[in-house]
Amino acid sequence: MEPEKKADAPFNAKDLIKPKRFLGLHVDKQNIIKWFFGSNAGVTIVVLFLIMFFLAREGVGFLPTYQWELSVYRLAGLEFCDYVEKPISEQVAMHSKLKRALGAELNTVSKVDRDRRDAALLAKSRIEDKVTLQTEPLQEALKAKAPPEKTDPLRVALTQATTAAVSTATLPAIFTAEEQIQLKAELSALQPDQAELPPFLKSLMAKSAQKTSEAKLKYAALISTVDAFDDTAEKLTKVHSEIKKIALETKEAANQLHMAEDAKKQLLEAATTAKTEAEKQAFLKDAAATSLAAIDFKVRTQPLRDKLPELEKLIPEYITAIKKAAEGIPENAETPEARKLISQVRTQLPKHLSHVEQCTQLMRDWDYAKPVPITQSLTSFLFGGDWITNSSWQDFYGVVPLLTGSCLIALVAMLISMPFSVAAAIYTNQFASLREQDFIKPTIEFIQAIPSVVLGFIGISVLGDLIKSISLLPFLSWVPGFPVQERLNMFNAGLLLAFMAIPTMFSLAEDAINNVPRAFSEASEALGATKLQTVFKVIVPASVSGILAAMLLGLGRIIGETMVVLLVAGNRIAIPDFSDGIGTVFQPAHTLTGIIAQELGEVSRGSSHWQALFMVGILLFCISLIINFFARQVVKRFKFHKS
Amino acid sequence: MVTTYPIMMSTVAPKKAESGVATPPAAAPEVSEMASETSSPVSNAIITVKDMDFCYGAKQAMFNVNLNIATKKVTAFIGPSGCGKSTLLRCFNRINDRIPGAHISKGEVRIKGKNINEEDVDLAQLRRQVGMVFQRSNPFPKSIYENVAYGLRVHGESRKSVLDTAVERCLTHAALWSELKDRLNANAMGLSGGQQQRLCIARAIATEPDILLMDEPCSALDPIATSKIEELIFQLSNDYTVVIVTHSMQQARRVADDTAFFYLGKLIEFAPTMEIFSNPRQKQTEAYVRGQFS
Ligand SMILES: Nc1ncnc2c1ncn2[C@@H]1O[C@H](COP(=O)(O)OP(=O)(O)OP(=O)(O)O)[C@@H](O)[C@H]1O
Ligand SMILES: [Mg+2]
């Protein structure tokens, strides 16, 4: 019956046409919703592009500015001076190492007695401080040549006070019990007008002096070597500081001129937009008044070139001197510290000598007018080994020290966090009971809730000391880099970053493992594989793309993290000394993110330093982009066709 | 009332004809009735299920099942959806252990006379001897070669020559060798559905099991792939005991020597295939095989 009724109804195409009105507008409701969602995605993308645009705009100005600074560096002759500067600073560094080695050696003989003397003298001066109230009247009385009957009561009072002070004082254990008693007795009896020190104190002084001279005698050869080493560069340094002064003056003049040019340009601009004729004339007059006398760099650098013959003479002299001085460096040393320092100097020396030899040729070839290549600013930014700012000499913006810091810290963090997060993910997904899962997952994810500044605080207050005291354990001395010199170092930062990255990596890796179809593990088990075999032969290979992507995203987080590295990495801007091998990670470093956070607040807006920091930001952005790109590639590459 | 088909009878049954047409054991009806409610274990019953109840947690899925499956025959499980065919099949290699809470609450399953749920059973060996093919083909996302070699590898075989011969033998057996011998290193995920399912069969027989369990192996395949697999099953029954779950009456008729009909977790009837389809003893069986089931 029903079908028949339908057939009877007349055709009506009206209900096939969709209603045109929504909220009184002639639009389709579906379309509005579509637009809404589409515009949300669009806004996000637009904001992203805006950020990229502003970052690029601030950063790109860096290249011409830096290019200009580098060309002035050459024109004004600072470059010329730095050819000499480099060997000199190397020499200074080696000398200070030798001095430290010498100190360590001398200590083997003289330290004990010197410490005893110093401890006794310290105790003496402490007690004297406590009894100044009683000492002063006595001294005045003595000065006034008062008769003994006047001074005697004062002496008694002083002795009483001293005795009281001595009785509360504690002496270090480097004195035996008897010595302590003797020393206390002597200290209690001290008088301000005493001509000589009491016998025990005197003997301590004498012993220490004797030991010191003994030490000096024993290590006379080393002492004279170190002194000779120090003297070698004396003349060079003098000439160097003379030419430095000249170069700096030229640079200052160039800077002044540059500023004047800017000012003039601004005045002229202001003149074109000035409202009244009078104003315009005033601007033009000011502009005309700014003198733009060109700097004749040739004349100004002439004194530098004039010094060349002298330098050419001094350098071979220096080389022979330092070679001679170096002959006196002993083959071996008694203390391990001295041994280490001396061997460092020994390895540095040949390199140093070749630098010195090169330096003559460099100075000869130097030409103030040689154009600075157009790519110089970019290459010296990307590959420059110095990040020097606010320098009275020359600023350099080379990111290599920051980049190596960031990379090493990331490496440490990845090496620690990868095994932990993958193992935790595998365990949680494959082996844990439901109840364990309910505990493990939220707990690990909770780590994300810890503010990074709090972690940094823990790194400073707990982890740094912990690492340092562990590294002092004698049975761990075989670990490279132990004992650790600095509490705040790359390892410490890497450890905390690993901890921070684990939740991200764990969650994503766990998801990846969870996405492996149950059918795979079922098939594997049906073939008689054990749980472990199933996990390692089927589940992990099937989820390897997801796991790798998780690791890469974790890496992105590690590279981008700022607060922890700023607080914990030690912030030393220098390329780490890789001669320590794996122990390099126990050195402090600065990072790309840390430098931005630290310096951006202090620089003046628009300066080359400010722009350089934006360039660092762009570099970071590119690194993140590359990591993301690889994460995508990895996912694509290893993806299996889901059936 | 539960009626079971006594395996005893199959001993007197003629061996499968060479022609390829499955001949059901000549079952004498009167003997069958005499055999009463339970099937007594017979010398050539490779799987024996005795008074078995099965539960998923608190929910009972199988009720008092008694069943003897004869060696080197094809046995089909039929029945409406949800009647417990898969559940029973999955008891034979204890793959149900994967499901939390699933357990046999009463009775026992014996394979070659050994109760497989006892403590001392080596699960890896059990599963090596009782292979399984799943309803949906599930090759590993590895190469074709590695898929077939997997079973041997997990049992500690790593000699290349042994693996090579096993892969060739199994792929030949699964009628895949000529198609795939040039692309053994290709990813198995790139095969067609039918090829994947045959690969899964090849994988399952690589460990040379005695028993092969198949849970609706053709349900996702087209008729041509299905007929290939049926041919394969027929071939396999020369060497293996095959237990197959199927929803297709025709398929059961074509491949099975014996057929068991389940309903609501109970074994209703178990008899030679011919008998089930031509002369069912139970009303429910008759209704089901005639397609009049409601
Ligand atoms: N993992 C499980 N947990 C709980 N109950 C289950 C589970 N698997 C199956 N069951 C139940 O056990 C009963 C038997 O299921 P089973 O999968 O054995 O049926 P089947 O005969 O194979 O059906 P189909 O023909 O649809 O595959 C069903 O009632 C089902 O709901
Ligand atoms: Mg099923």
Side-chain angles (χ1 to χ4, degrees):
Chain A
M1 256 168 262
E2 199 75 46
E4 254 173 61
K5 210 173 165 190
K6 254 207 170 139
D8 280 347
F11 288 121
N12 190 354
K14 230 179 169 176
D15 51 358
L16 290 176
I17 297 165
K18 54 186 175 188
K20 269 253 156 69
R21 296 177 78 82
F22 172 67
L23 295 176
L25 298 165
H26 280 274
V27 280
D28 187 355
K29 188 167 156 189
Q30 304 292 326
N31 271 341
I32 290 195
I33 292 168
K34 207 169 78 191
W35 286 335
F36 176 70
F37 287 118
S39 63
N40 282 348
V43 165
T44 319
I45 290 168
V46 165
V47 169
L48 175 70
F49 277 101
L50 280 178
I51 288 174
M52 281 161 69
F53 172 74
F54 283 112
L55 207 56
R57 200 191 59 175
E58 294 288 345
V60 158
F62 167 76
L63 294 178
T65 320
Y66 193 35
Q67 182 80 21
W68 182 82
E69 286 183 3
L70 288 175
S71 65
V72 169
Y73 174 67
R74 174 165 291 168
L75 284 171
L78 279 78
E79 192 180 25
F80 183 85
C81 303
D82 275 351
Y83 291 147
V84 196
E85 162 84 36
K86 193 178 169 198
I88 289 178
S89 59
E90 279 174 0
Q91 191 266 355
V92 170
M94 284 192 292
H95 175 238
S96 87
K97 275 184 182 162
L98 285 180
K99 250 170 49 187
R100 269 162 60 200
L102 174 63
E105 294 282 85
L106 291 177
N107 275 346
T108 54
V109 180
S110 58
K111 186 163 190 297
V112 176
D113 287 294
R114 195 177 61 228
D115 283 354
R116 278 161 65 89
R117 180 198 67 182
D118 290 348
L121 289 181
L122 185 72
K124 178 169 169 273
S125 68
R126 281 222 183 109
I127 285 160
E128 280 171 353
D129 280 353
K130 278 191 189 159
V131 296
T132 37
L133 268 180
Q134 287 78 17
T135 320
E136 273 168 14
L138 179 58
Q139 268 171 339
E140 267 165 33
L142 286 172
K143 230 189 231 164
K145 300 240 161 52
E149 56 269 27
K150 265 201 171 172
T151 54
D152 279 348
L154 289 172
R155 280 187 198 279
V156 173
L158 174 63
T159 312
Q160 272 172 359
T162 333
T163 317
V166 166
S167 68
T168 59
T170 50
L171 290 169
I174 44 175
F175 299 108
T176 63
E178 288 151 40
E179 283 171 338
Q180 289 194 10
I181 292 165
Q182 196 180 354
L183 189 58
K184 282 188 176 173
E186 284 183 1
L187 288 175
S188 325
L190 273 179
Q191 295 295 330
D193 56 340
Q194 213 162 356
E196 273 191 345
L197 283 173
F200 183 62
L201 267 172
K202 213 169 144 190
S203 76
L204 282 177
M205 305 279 281
K207 190 82 188 290
S208 173
Q210 181 211 340
K211 283 283 177 183
T212 307
S213 58
E214 239 173 63
K216 282 198 176 139
L217 208 64
K218 186 173 173 194
Y219 293 106
L222 187 56
I223 291 172
S224 68
T225 305
V226 175
D227 286 345
F229 207 93
D230 190 21
D231 293 341
T232 50
E234 198 183 346
K235 284 180 191 159
L236 259 184
T237 315
K238 195 163 151 272
V239 178
H240 176 238
S241 55
E242 279 168 28
I243 55 176
K244 255 176 98 170
K245 227 160 96 193
I246 303 167
L248 261 187
E249 273 165 19
T250 318
K251 181 187 173 186
E252 190 50 38
N255 279 340
Q256 292 293 345
L257 178 66
H258 190 67
M259 267 151 42
E261 276 170 356
D262 271 356
K264 185 162 184 174
K265 218 195 278 167
Q266 276 173 11
L267 284 173
L268 288 174
E269 255 171 41
T272 56
T273 56
K275 285 188 190 115
T276 65
E277 189 62 21
E279 254 178 22
K280 191 175 171 182
Q281 289 307 326
F283 279 137
L284 284 176
K285 204 174 129 220
D286 282 350
T290 13
S291 83
L292 289 181
I295 298 169
D296 189 346
F297 287 107
K298 186 167 187 199
V299 174
R300 280 182 178 259
T301 52
Q302 193 55 46
L304 304 187
R305 274 185 303 261
D306 292 344
K307 286 278 178 196
L308 188 58
E310 194 184 343
L311 285 165
E312 272 175 340
K313 193 166 69 63
L314 283 175
I315 283 171
E317 274 175 27
Y318 168 74
I319 291 178
T320 35
I322 200 146
K323 271 186 182 158
K324 194 152 163 281
E327 274 164 23
I329 299 174
E331 286 292 332
N332 214 334
E334 276 171 46
T335 53
E337 195 191 346
R339 222 173 293 146
K340 196 174 140 203
L341 288 163
I342 285 177
S343 82
Q344 281 177 2
V345 171
R346 279 180 174 284
T347 52
Q348 274 170 10
L349 202 63
K351 266 189 251 162
H352 171 64
L353 285 175
S354 81
H355 288 161
V356 182
E357 274 156 19
Q358 280 164 15
C359 120
T360 329
Q361 194 54 43
L362 284 169
M363 284 190 296
R364 277 192 207 128
D365 293 347
W366 180 76
D367 176 10
Y368 78 97
K370 203 162 69 187
V372 178
I374 195 81
T375 52
Q376 183 77 17
S377 56
L378 188 63
T379 48
S380 56
F381 172 75
L382 288 177
F383 309 114
D386 296 302
W387 180 276
I388 299 169
T389 55
N390 296 330
S391 149
S392 58
W393 179 245
Q394 173 77 22
D395 285 357
F396 286 107
Y397 306 107
V399 289
V400 172
L402 309 173
L403 198 60
T404 42
S406 280
C407 289
L408 275 179
I409 291 174
L411 187 74
V412 172
M414 287 304 281
L415 285 180
I416 296 166
S417 58
M418 276 196 314
F420 271 97
S421 53
V422 174
I426 290 175
Y427 178 78
T428 311
N429 194 273
Q430 292 294 319
F431 298 100
S433 66
L434 278 175
R435 202 185 293 168
E436 276 178 306
Q437 283 191 14
D438 282 347
F439 174 72
I440 294 173
K441 280 205 242 176
T443 311
I444 291 187
E445 272 149 26
F446 177 74
I447 296 172
Q448 267 173 334
I450 306 175
S452 60
V453 72
V454 174
L455 279 182
F457 178 70
I458 289 170
I460 292 175
S461 62
V462 183
L463 206 53
D465 292 326
L466 195 69
I467 291 173
K468 197 156 181 190
S469 49
I470 287 177
S471 81
L472 288 174
L473 296 178
F475 64 90
L476 282 177
S477 59
W478 54 269
V479 178
F482 277 17
V484 172
Q485 307 289 334
E486 306 282 343
R487 268 182 338 123
L488 304 181
N489 54 44
M490 292 186 262
F491 181 77
N492 191 343
L495 211 57
L496 285 170
L497 285 188
F499 186 65
M500 289 185 68
I502 280 176
T504 315
M505 289 158 86
F506 165 82
S507 299
L508 292 173
E510 209 261 341
D511 279 353
I513 294 169
N514 202 31
N515 279 341
V516 175
R518 292 274 172 273
F520 289 170
S521 54
E522 198 166 59
S524 171
E525 281 188 23
L527 286 165
T530 60
K531 186 86 197 176
L532 269 181
Q533 284 172 326
T534 305
V535 167
F536 288 106
K537 288 185 183 236
V538 176
I539 294 176
V540 171
S543 57
V544 75
S545 68
I547 293 177
L548 278 178
M551 301 300 109
L552 281 173
L553 293 174
L555 176 63
R557 179 153 166 66
I558 287 170
I559 291 267
E561 168 54 36
T562 309
M563 206 60 211
V564 164
V565 290
L566 188 62
L567 291 175
V568 181
N571 298 354
R572 185 175 76 186
I573 309 177
I575 300 177
D577 176 10
F578 286 99
S579 63
D580 282 0
I582 298 173
T584 306
V585 298
F586 294 107
Q587 295 171 14
H590 218 312
T591 55
L592 295 171
T593 48
I595 202 94
I596 298 179
Q598 188 181 22
E599 295 185 348
L600 198 60
E602 298 164 5
V603 300
S604 63
R605 216 190 139 100
S607 67
S608 60
H609 188 182
W610 158 279
Q611 290 170 326
L613 292 176
F614 270 88
M615 279 298 278
V616 175
I618 293 175
L619 185 64
L620 265 175
F621 192 83
C622 293
I623 292 174
S624 299
L625 222 60
I626 290 169
I627 291 173
N628 264 322
F629 173 77
F630 275 111
R632 285 175 157 278
Q633 288 300 308
V634 159
V635 171
K636 236 190 255 169
R637 170 99 193 275
F638 290 91
K639 199 160 210 161
F640 49 82
H641 322 273
K642 278 194 181 148
S643 56
Chain B
M1 176 186 143
V2 177
T3 311
T4 47
Y5 171 72
I7 287 294
M8 195 191 293
M9 288 301 98
S10 63
T11 50
V12 294
K15 205 64 199 137
K16 188 178 298 175
E18 292 301 315
S19 67
V21 181
T23 327
E30 58 283 355
V31 180
S32 178
E33 255 152 28
M34 278 158 53
S36 88
E37 315 249 322
T38 52
S39 58
S40 50
V42 285
S43 55
N44 73 340
I46 191 161
I47 306 176
T48 311
V49 183
K50 207 162 163 242
D51 302 331
M52 193 196 82
D53 285 358
F54 188 90
C55 295
Y56 286 109
K59 183 184 157 216
Q60 190 164 355
M62 310 261 6
F63 301 87
N64 199 36
V65 176
N66 283 283
L67 187 70
N68 286 321
I69 292 174
T71 183
K72 300 211 172 152
K73 294 220 164 187
V74 179
T75 305
F77 287 180
I78 60 170
S81 189
C83 66
K85 308 179 293 290
S86 302
T87 304
L88 181 60
L89 195 72
R90 291 163 62 90
C91 285
F92 297 160
N93 67 347
R94 284 183 54 187
I95 199 82
N96 273 331
D97 290 6
R98 283 171 54 85
I99 301 166
H103 65 285
I104 292 174
S105 50
K106 190 179 129 257
E108 58 187 31
V109 177
R110 285 178 181 273
I111 286 180
K112 298 180 180 171
K114 172 72 191 162
N115 182 347
I116 57 166
N117 286 295
E118 273 169 10
E119 279 293 312
D120 58 351
V121 171
D122 179 352
L123 206 54
Q125 277 305 318
L126 171 71
R127 287 173 179 168
R128 184 181 183 159
Q129 290 175 24
V130 186
M132 187 163 205
V133 177
F134 295 86
Q135 175 171 7
R136 294 185 51 186
S137 60
N138 54 357
F140 301 125
K142 295 172 182 279
S143 70
I144 292 165
Y145 183 96
E146 282 305 322
N147 262 282
V148 182
Y150 185 85
L152 292 171
R153 282 201 197 277
V154 298
H155 287 103
E157 184 59 74
S158 58
R159 280 166 296 168
K160 180 104 175 56
S161 57
V162 177
L163 294 179
D164 282 349
T165 42
V167 168
E168 179 169 354
R169 175 178 60 80
C170 298
L171 286 178
T172 314
H173 220 122
L176 277 173
W177 179 250
S178 52
E179 282 169 69
L180 300 182
K181 65 170 181 287
D182 300 325
R183 38 192 284 225
L184 291 180
N185 290 318
N187 196 312
M189 290 301 187
L191 299 176
S192 77
Q195 286 174 323
Q196 286 190 5
Q197 191 62 296
R198 277 181 285 153
L199 180 64
C200 290
I201 295 174
R203 182 177 68 185
I205 60 180
T207 54
E208 304 192 34
D210 300 314
I211 301 164
L212 197 57
L213 309 174
M214 299 177 137
D215 194 349
E216 301 181 44
C218 305
S219 67
L221 302 181
D222 67 81
I224 294 170
T226 304
S227 73
K228 276 197 181 162
I229 291 197
E230 282 174 11
E231 230 165 80
L232 179 59
I233 293 169
F234 185 69
Q235 292 272 317
L236 292 173
S237 65
N238 288 324
D239 304 317
Y240 303 93
T241 306
V242 178
V243 185
I244 177 169
V245 172
T246 178
H247 274 288
S248 155
M249 266 22 121
Q250 287 79 6
Q251 188 170 60
R253 235 189 261 226
R254 282 193 298 264
V255 300
D257 299 305
D258 302 335
T259 299
F261 173 63
F262 292 87
Y263 184 53
L264 294 179
K266 298 191 179 88
L267 174 61
I268 305 297
E269 189 165 356
F270 183 36
T273 306
M274 286 296 273
E275 205 164 304
I276 286 269
F277 285 101
S278 56
N279 187 17
R281 225 165 281 268
Q282 301 295 327
K283 280 250 163 50
Q284 288 155 320
T285 317
E286 188 174 3
Y288 185 73
V289 299
R290 298 244 161 86
Q292 297 162 345
F293 208 78
S294 55

